[in-house]
């Protein structure tokens, strides 16, 4: 397929997915490794939520693309790199430690803003995936860890299911994340704590059935990554 045709397909794929999903579900178009031209084509359909998983790439795309894009940091975030994205990032999905929360709060204060965060949970059977356990977050709640963090909005939870063809296994993991959300929500500000970010190209229909209201879709929009 020639490049122009490929670019034109981005907007129609985004629109197609949006037509399929319920109105309360936000689509994040995951543009990691993809060039700015393809992101611009996505914007031409009116879409503004994009996800990246590397700080350097995210910063470069933010600098070179329209400033009204809402950038979602969906990858693992190292503490020493928070400062680069703190001025502009719309939401950080992969928050997986107390130390990282403290650093994001500190950088939020420096930038005089509140940074939207999702608590990432380890729900997959693979032990390579990052994230809190339910126990860890419940302990943090008990010790009132979150109260002094005035430059963070805890907006909900995020997780990734096991990479498998076993749909029942995926469903179980997504149901777990949804149950964590329900268990934790009484402690957080209900005006912020609303998001369940789960579901990717291969499993977002299951995720939505399990209660997801934010899906992160890359290859089904932009094509396979190398
Ligand atoms: C890459 C990535 C996605 C998108 O994956 P696809 O399978 O291409 O849709 C979603 N979430 C995270 C955290 C990712 O790193």
């Amino acid at each position: 397929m020639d490049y122009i045709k490929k670019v034109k397909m981005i907007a129609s794929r985004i629109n197609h997915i949006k037509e399929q999903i319920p109105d309360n579900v936000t689509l994040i178009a995951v543009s990691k490794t993809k060039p700015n031209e393809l992101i611009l084509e996505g914007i031409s359909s009116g879409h503004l939520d994009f996800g990246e998983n590397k700080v350097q790439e995210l910063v470069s795309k933010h600098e070179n693309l329209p400033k009204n894009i809402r950038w979602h940091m969906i990858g693992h975030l190292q503490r020493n790199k928070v400062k680069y994205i703190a001025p502009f990032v719309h939401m950080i999905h992969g928050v997986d430690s107390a130390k990282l929360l403290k650093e994001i709060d500190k950088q939020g204060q420096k930038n005089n803003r509140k940074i939207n965060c999702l608590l990432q949970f380890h729900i997959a059977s693979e032990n390579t995936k990052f994230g809190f356990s339910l126990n860890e977050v419940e302990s943090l709640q008990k010790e009132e860890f979150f109260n002094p963090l005035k430059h963070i909005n805890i907006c909900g939870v995020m997780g990734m299911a096991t990479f498998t063809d076993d749909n029942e296994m995926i469903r179980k993991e997504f149901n777990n994340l949804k149950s964590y959300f329900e268990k934790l929500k009484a402690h957080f500000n209900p005006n912020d704590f609303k998001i369940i970010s789960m579901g990717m190209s291969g499993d977002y229909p299951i995720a939505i059935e399990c209660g997801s209201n934010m899906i992160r879709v890359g290859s089904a929009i932009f094509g396979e990554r190398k």
Side-chain angles (χ1 to χ4, degrees), residues 75-127:
H76 183 64
L77 180 58
Q78 288 171 300
R79 263 181 295 156
N80 61 348
K81 294 192 176 165
V82 175
K83 56 179 177 285
Y84 301 117
I85 62 171
F88 68 88
V89 70
H90 176 70
M91 186 171 281
I92 301 177
H93 288 230
V95 181
D96 63 352
S97 75
K99 284 177 172 173
L100 182 57
L101 279 160
K102 280 192 173 160
E103 176 62 18
I104 297 170
D105 185 60
K106 184 175 141 195
Q107 295 300 330
Q109 182 166 20
K110 273 194 183 162
N111 288 278
N112 198 20
R113 65 188 295 246
K114 281 188 132 189
I115 300 179
N116 297 323
C117 291
L118 300 178
L119 303 175
Q120 181 171 2
F121 284 89
H122 181 95
I123 55 169
S125 66
E126 298 131 348
N127 51 20

Side-chain angles (χ1 to χ4, degrees), residues 30 32 53 74 158 160 200-201 216-219 225:
V30 176
K32 60 191 187 194
N53 71 338
I74 63 170
M158 179 270 203
M160 285 165 88
M200 322 196 334
S201 294
R216 309 175 309 270
V217 179
S219 46
R225 291 176 298 273

Side-chain angles (χ1 to χ4, degrees), residues 200-211:
M200 322 196 334
S201 294
D203 57 20
Y204 74 82
I206 303 177
I208 291 171
E209 283 171 25
C210 297

Side-chain angles (χ1 to χ4, degrees), residues 158-171:
M158 179 270 203
M160 285 165 88
T162 303
F163 187 73
T164 172
D165 292 335
D166 183 348
N167 285 349
E168 285 321 299
M169 181 172 186
I170 293 171
R171 191 177 296 278

Side-chain angles (χ1 to χ4, degrees), residues 9-24:
M9 281 190 67
I10 305 296
S12 66
R13 285 194 187 134
I14 287 175
N15 287 332
H16 182 70
I17 294 173
K18 282 182 169 171
E19 280 161 18
Q20 288 180 329
I21 62 180
D23 286 344
N24 69 313

